[in-house]
Amino acid sequence: MTDIKNDRLILGDVEFTSRLFTGTGKFASKKFIAPMLEASGSQMITIALRRVDPTADKENILNYIPDSITLLPNTSGARTAREAVRIARIARQAGCGKFIKIEVITDMQYLLPDNHETLKATGILAKEGFVVLPYIMPDITVTKQLYDAGAAAVMPLGSPIGTSRGLEMKPVIKMIIETSKIPVVVDAGIGRPSQAAETMEMGADAVLVNTAIATSQNPALTGRAFALAVEAGRIAYLSNMTGKKLYAHASSPLTGFLRE
Amino acid sequence: MKINLNGKRVESKSKTLMDLVLEQGFDLTSLIIEINFEVIKQETWQDISIKEGDNVELLSFVGGG
């Protein structure tokens, strides 16, 4: 029997019991972040690096994230591999650990990632000892190339960032899950717990949810709902549920005492 | 002296990096500073001289997904 209690996701040298990764973007107040982490049990959260805006809120976001949480700095704002590498190095030197989510985007309408530049950045940063999680346009060939380049996991998008449209890329993500030698973390577009459950049922190793939780009226409660959905989906996957059938199969005996 | 500060060319009278940060009125606790593509540790800010044409980036972590 599958041992659910000891089910772990290992990335780099860190073991995660929660398969829900979260993000710090778009919260109405940073004060909602810690209660959300507590309620959801999420153990990894993304942060971003920006030029200081003297007119903006000066409070350090890191003060709102408990020390037990693994930080996943992203390279948002990078348009080339070179820029992503620069951001990653700054994040590590600034004390954020060795995890990095590579996000290289040049398409500003749909915010779709540039797989070519992402692959280049992955190779460079993996050689420097980073635990690299590249955010990609779902593609099985690129997934294999990222594995060869040293990525710790691959993060295909479900649908464009912030759209809550769910698994629009489902058929390709399914192929990635079937063929990938590294964990698959579905990132972006997961807008409802039911979509997260569906993703995990398919065999994804984790999901990353930011917008849906952060923009909810109650991020802690929404985080909890996502956590339960992720867990249910994961257990369903591990239980090897049977698939769909074209014709009905009775759940009760159809022969009885009323007729032969 | 002119330096490039967060992508803009600005006039500065600061001799050290610490002077520059105080001159610009930035919060020290969350600041990450890169000069000419090299991250400078906070404990050395007072010892780092600012030179004409330096590319100084003042950065901090923010919310992001």
Side-chain angles (χ1 to χ4, degrees), chain A residues 20-258:
Chain A
L20 172 64
F21 299 159
T22 49
T24 54
K26 301 181 188 171
F27 278 87
S29 163
K30 295 188 194 83
K31 288 178 185 148
F32 295 140
I33 295 173
M36 181 281 293
L37 288 167
E38 170 88 31
S40 69
S42 175
Q43 296 163 325
M44 175 132 82
I45 196 161
T46 57
I47 50 173
L49 189 67
R50 281 290 172 278
R51 276 178 173 161
V52 170
D53 173 2
T55 62
D57 169 17
K58 288 189 171 62
E59 282 187 289
N60 188 352
I61 193 149
L62 300 181
N63 293 339
Y64 291 83
I65 303 171
D67 292 342
S68 59
I69 305 296
T70 300
L71 295 172
L72 179 60
N74 68 32
T75 66
S76 69
R79 294 181 177 214
T80 62
R82 199 176 159 180
E83 289 174 359
V85 167
R86 182 179 171 200
I87 294 171
R89 287 173 181 160
I90 293 171
R92 183 156 75 173
Q93 288 178 57
C96 278
K98 57 186 179 178
F99 279 75
I100 190 77
K101 170 183 164 180
I102 300 184
E103 189 178 320
V104 182
I105 293 175
T106 48
D107 159 45
M108 290 301 129
Q109 186 171 5
Y110 297 105
L111 301 178
L112 297 178
D114 180 330
N115 284 357
H116 181 69
E117 291 295 308
T118 300
L119 178 59
K120 275 201 277 183
T122 298
I124 295 166
L125 293 171
K127 281 195 190 79
E128 293 181 10
F130 281 88
V131 179
V132 183
L133 285 79
Y135 170 61
I136 59 160
M137 191 68 195
D139 183 311
I140 52 172
T141 306
V142 169
T143 298
K144 183 177 178 307
Q145 290 166 339
L146 286 165
Y147 165 75
D148 292 338
V154 66
M155 299 212 290
L157 62 94
S159 49
I161 295 171
T163 60
S164 295
R165 297 206 305 247
L167 280 177
E168 289 186 340
M169 305 303 292
K170 187 172 179 175
V172 190
I173 290 178
K174 227 171 178 174
M175 290 177 210
I176 291 174
I177 290 169
E178 276 170 23
T179 55
S180 177
K181 292 180 182 165
I182 42 179
V184 179
V185 182
V186 176
D187 180 9
I190 306 292
R192 309 199 73 80
S194 53
Q195 295 164 349
E198 182 187 9
T199 309
M200 295 304 295
E201 267 178 42
M202 271 167 45
D205 295 278
V207 294
L208 198 157
V209 180
N210 183 5
T211 302
I213 294 175
T215 62
S216 134
Q217 296 284 315
N218 188 332
L221 209 53
T222 307
R224 177 82 180 130
F226 269 100
L228 291 170
V230 165
E231 196 180 343
R234 175 67 182 171
I235 294 172
Y237 169 72
L238 293 175
S239 73
N240 275 318
M241 293 176 70
T242 50
K244 289 179 186 171
K245 295 179 184 74
L246 181 60
Y247 298 107
H249 286 251
S251 302
S252 306
L254 293 179
T255 52
F257 61 91
L258 298 175

Side-chain angles (χ1 to χ4, degrees), chain A residues 23-25 46-52 54 58 60-62 73-74 86 90-91 93-94 96 101 103 210, chain B residues 6-8 24-27 29-32 34 37-41 57-65:
Chain A
T24 54
T46 57
I47 50 173
L49 189 67
R50 281 290 172 278
R51 276 178 173 161
V52 170
K58 288 189 171 62
N60 188 352
I61 193 149
L62 300 181
N74 68 32
R86 182 179 171 200
I90 293 171
Q93 288 178 57
C96 278
K101 170 183 164 180
E103 189 178 320
N210 183 5
Chain B
N6 282 4
K8 285 182 188 155
Q24 297 291 326
F26 285 112
D27 171 41
T29 57
S30 59
L31 211 52
I32 298 158
E34 193 197 54
F37 300 96
E38 192 188 336
V39 175
I40 312 294
K41 288 190 173 154
E57 291 283 350
L58 303 177
L59 311 160
S60 70
F61 285 107
V62 295

